[in-house]
Amino acid sequence: MENLVHLHLENNSLNGSVPGEIGNLKKMVHLILESNNFSGSIPTRLTSCSSLEHLILSNNSLSGSIPYQIRDLFLLSTINLSHNFISGQIPFEVGGLAFLAVLDLSYNNLSGKVPLPFTSVAHINLSYNSLEGQIPNGYQNHTSDSLIGNKDLCGDFVGFPPCPPHFPPSLPLSAPASNKTIVPKVKIVAPISIFLGFLVLGGFCLFLSQRMVNKTQSMSTQRKNGNLFSIWNYDGNIAYEDIIQATEDFDIKYCIGTGGYGSVYKAELPSGKIVALKKLHRLEAENPTFDKSFKNEIKVLTEIRHRNIIKLYGFCLHKRCMFLVYEYKERGSLFCVLNNDIEAVELDWSKRVNIIKGTAHALSYMHHDCIPTIVHRDISSNNILLNNKLEAFVSDFGTAKLLDPDSSNQTLVVGTYGYIAPELAYTMKVTEKCDVYSFGVVALEILMGMHPTELLTSLSSSSLQNVMLHEILDQRLPPPTHLVAQEIFLIATIAFACLHTKPKSRPIMKCVSQEFLSKKKPIAKPLHAFSLWQLRNQEMYMVESGDETQL
């Protein structure tokens, strides 16, 4: 297949070594083998793919070193070798690739210095390796997250200690010189070096002893604090001690609530940044179920980014102290706001519409823009947090599941009672449509100001003919104006579609998200002219159209 341009084999169960014969594909542009079980070293023959632009081998079990012949792939714009067991130094030649824009070598066993030319790469991630020495000048254009987890780096860079005096600068690695060049230089330099050596010997010994003292102090701090390098605050600084001091070792007075597992604390760091901490209690930490949920949340939140999904700043997995560090949301959960009469009035119709839209956009991202697909499995008003602008953020990913297209995805029923899709009770199969159902419940809850318990039990009843849409709306708010009323009509119609008992008859979240973004014709009648029965008929009409890409 000499004319093959794109080879995508990601997210399979392929094992063994990466076939060197791939190097015969001279016209290949994309080689994507991520998330498999490949082992062994990266074949040098791959560097014969002279047209290659994207090389993605992440999330495998590759070992060995990065071949320096990678410099021959001069068209490369993306290199992702993250989450492997690759060791050795980073070839200096990688930084010389003129078109390289993305370089991700994180979560490997790479050692040595950070090559100087890497300062010109637009997006780089060298975190969680064993790199050492001075961070090159010019690297300040990158974020501190790109180097976190390399405990022996130093320099004028946020989150890392300054280098000791007289620390040798980070110089670019270069190819060995020829013997003809080296011999004359040795004859000249050797006598001078011997003379200077006696002069600096005393100073070097003093410097070495100081380094040993510093290293001993650093090691004692690491033993005291546990797994320090899994914890960072928003600017990349190690923050374990800051968190312990800010909460007075998780004193009860800093506790602001409890979640599905663990307690939530509020902490103000020395920088002034306020964070939320979810701490797993010792008894819960010993429970395999809670421990799995805790680590599952870390796995999901470290791999996704969306403006309506809570941000994870860091975590600690020390056996005696396990906690997650989140961005703090001032107004707490949507559930608490809706159940407080004063705060519920502040949550006017426009803000409620935006919360529903933000939640829909977040779910659409998880279902359709993440590989593999992420199903939250516990969408409820308790797990939607609000900031001081009353914007929505989906949280609590402890029960989230990554869907495997080659698996039945059967699991135990999890979630919050009143939000769980009915089919889970008898199929035990998780799909995106489980989140769609929960979204429908939350959307109605926001419109009504309370959980729609009674309404859900009467969805198939003819009694809906006598209930008008405006009657179920939260009576603590004034009636919505015409423009907002149009949005509420759309939301109510979509909510009922999401609550269909048959999963295949529910819309997909991408469809819902796009529907909220598109312009709609104004409704011809006021809200009090629509019955819930008519909305159900409207929903049935949309389902029978059979088009899942547009409502």
Side-chain angles (χ1 to χ4, degrees):
M1 302 175 67
E2 295 178 353
N3 293 319
L4 190 64
V5 176
H6 305 285
L7 181 57
H8 291 243
L9 298 175
E10 66 271 24
N11 296 299
N12 282 289
S13 300
L14 300 173
N15 53 33
S17 58
V18 177
E21 290 79 3
I22 294 177
N24 296 331
L25 305 175
K26 307 296 183 183
K27 297 182 181 180
M28 180 178 295
V29 175
H30 293 82
L31 176 58
I32 303 180
L33 305 179
E34 66 176 330
S35 299
N36 279 287
N37 298 317
F38 286 118
S39 58
S41 59
I42 301 172
T44 305
R45 290 178 62 184
L46 289 186
T47 59
S48 299
C49 300
S50 54
S51 300
L52 198 61
E53 296 179 13
H54 301 278
L55 176 61
I56 301 179
L57 306 177
S58 57
N59 289 284
N60 280 288
S61 299
L62 298 174
S63 57
S65 59
I66 302 173
Y68 72 89
Q69 294 92 336
I70 199 169
R71 66 188 176 189
D72 297 332
L73 301 176
F74 60 94
L75 294 178
L76 274 178
S77 64
T78 301
I79 300 176
N80 189 342
L81 307 178
S82 63
H83 293 85
N84 280 290
F85 301 100
I86 301 172
S87 58
Q89 296 189 4
I90 304 174
F92 170 81
E93 291 83 355
V94 174
L97 295 170
F99 299 99
L100 189 61
V102 178
L103 177 63
D104 191 346
L105 304 178
S106 60
Y107 291 90
N108 278 290
N109 299 320
L110 295 168
S111 58
K113 300 186 186 324
V114 178
L116 184 61
F118 283 15
T119 57
S120 61
V121 180
H123 302 284
I124 189 170
N125 190 353
L126 306 179
S127 61
Y128 294 98
N129 279 286
S130 299
L131 300 176
E132 59 185 9
Q134 182 175 346
I135 300 171
N137 293 330
Y139 203 91
Q140 285 76 5
N141 296 328
H142 301 293
T143 64
S144 55
D145 288 349
S146 64
L147 288 176
I148 193 169
N150 293 282
K151 61 181 180 179
D152 293 323
L153 287 177
C154 64
D156 185 17
F157 195 69
V158 175
F160 291 88
C163 293
H166 311 299
F167 193 84
S170 178
L171 297 175
L173 304 175
S174 58
S178 65
N179 291 335
K180 293 182 179 179
T181 305
I182 293 175
V183 172
K185 289 184 178 180
V186 170
K187 291 181 179 179
I188 297 173
V189 174
I192 300 176
S193 300
I194 294 173
F195 174 74
L196 293 177
F198 285 107
L199 294 179
V200 301
L201 181 59
F204 175 75
C205 292
L206 179 63
F207 166 71
L208 184 61
S209 63
Q210 184 63 39
R211 287 291 305 278
M212 291 297 293
V213 171
N214 293 339
K215 185 174 182 181
T216 301
Q217 292 174 345
S218 175
M219 290 176 64
S220 64
T221 302
Q222 184 172 354
R223 287 194 298 268
K224 176 182 177 182
N225 292 345
N227 190 8
L228 281 178
F229 299 100
S230 294
I231 313 157
W232 65 95
N233 61 21
Y234 72 104
D235 61 0
N237 291 324
I238 301 300
Y240 182 92
E241 291 292 352
D242 294 342
I243 289 170
I244 298 301
Q245 293 174 8
T247 59
E248 298 180 31
D249 200 11
F250 292 98
D251 191 280
I252 189 65
K253 66 183 178 182
Y254 295 98
C255 183
I256 59 175
T258 56
Y261 56 95
S263 298
V264 182
Y265 296 79
K266 177 182 177 182
E268 182 176 356
L269 299 176
S271 62
K273 183 73 174 181
I274 298 177
V275 296
L277 308 166
K278 182 189 288 186
K279 183 177 182 293
L280 201 62
H281 301 304
R282 182 169 298 181
L283 292 178
E284 292 171 333
E286 296 172 356
N287 186 322
T289 301
F290 288 118
D291 181 67
K292 181 179 180 181
S293 296
F294 189 86
K295 294 178 180 178
N296 188 68
E297 187 154 9
I298 294 173
K299 175 178 176 60
V300 173
L301 285 179
T302 52
E303 295 178 357
I304 60 177
R305 291 288 185 274
H306 190 274
R307 68 184 308 271
N308 294 111
I309 294 178
I310 197 76
K311 290 181 181 177
L312 179 70
Y313 287 143
F315 56 89
C316 176
L317 291 179
H318 194 282
K319 293 181 180 179
R320 298 177 61 184
C321 189
M322 299 178 68
F323 59 85
L324 306 176
V325 187
Y326 299 98
E327 60 178 340
Y328 176 68
K329 297 305 174 187
E330 299 82 357
R331 302 305 292 269
S333 72
L334 172 64
F335 175 84
C336 291
V337 172
L338 288 176
N339 283 273
N340 183 303
D341 289 341
I342 297 176
E343 293 184 346
V345 172
E346 185 182 354
L347 201 63
D348 59 34
W349 291 119
S350 295
K351 291 185 175 66
R352 296 191 187 201
V353 167
N354 288 334
I355 289 173
I356 294 171
K357 289 182 177 180
T359 305
H361 297 327
L363 289 174
S364 176
Y365 165 78
M366 292 161 54
H367 291 180
H368 305 286
D369 296 324
C370 293
I371 301 176
T373 295
I374 300 174
V375 178
H376 188 281
R377 295 206 293 171
D378 196 13
I379 293 295
S380 69
S381 57
N382 259 319
N383 292 333
I384 297 175
L385 303 181
L386 306 178
N387 62 7
N388 54 7
K389 296 181 181 179
L390 295 174
E391 297 170 324
F393 298 84
V394 177
S395 69
D396 205 336
F397 284 76
T399 59
K401 185 173 180 63
L402 308 180
L403 291 192
D404 183 356
D406 298 323
S407 170
S408 64
N409 292 303
Q410 287 191 322
T411 183
L412 297 176
V413 178
V414 296
T416 303
Y417 180 76
Y419 299 87
I420 302 174
E423 67 271 10
L424 276 177
Y426 54 87
T427 66
M428 307 288 283
K429 182 178 180 180
V430 178
T431 68
E432 302 96 316
K433 297 300 181 75
C434 298
D435 280 350
V436 174
Y437 181 91
S438 302
F439 169 78
V441 177
V442 171
L444 283 184
E445 182 177 2
I446 294 172
L447 295 183
M448 298 172 63
M450 60 182 179
H451 189 276
T453 307
E454 295 183 5
L455 185 58
L456 293 177
T457 59
S458 59
L459 282 180
S460 58
S461 171
S462 59
S463 62
L464 293 181
Q465 294 181 8
N466 302 320
V467 181
M468 310 307 289
L469 175 56
H470 76 284
E471 294 177 351
I472 70 168
L473 299 181
D474 194 339
Q475 300 301 307
R476 294 173 294 183
L477 297 182
T481 60
H482 178 68
L483 291 178
V484 180
Q486 181 177 324
E487 299 265 27
I488 291 175
F489 172 79
L490 175 63
I491 289 171
T493 304
I494 290 176
F496 281 118
C498 293
L499 295 173
H500 201 286
T501 53
K502 296 180 179 179
K504 291 184 178 180
S505 298
R506 299 170 197 154
I508 59 174
M509 288 309 303
K510 184 176 183 179
C511 166
V512 173
S513 177
Q514 291 174 345
E515 192 74 7
F516 285 142
L517 294 173
S518 61
K519 293 184 178 180
K520 294 289 173 294
K521 295 180 180 180
I523 55 177
K525 297 185 292 184
L527 293 184
H528 64 260
F530 291 98
S531 69
L532 301 188
W533 182 257
Q534 287 175 303
L535 293 182
R536 284 289 285 175
N537 288 338
Q538 174 77 6
E539 174 257 324
M540 291 299 291
Y541 168 79
M542 290 189 297
V543 170
E544 288 171 1
S545 67
D547 187 355
E548 280 200 328
T549 61
Q550 185 175 359
L551 287 176

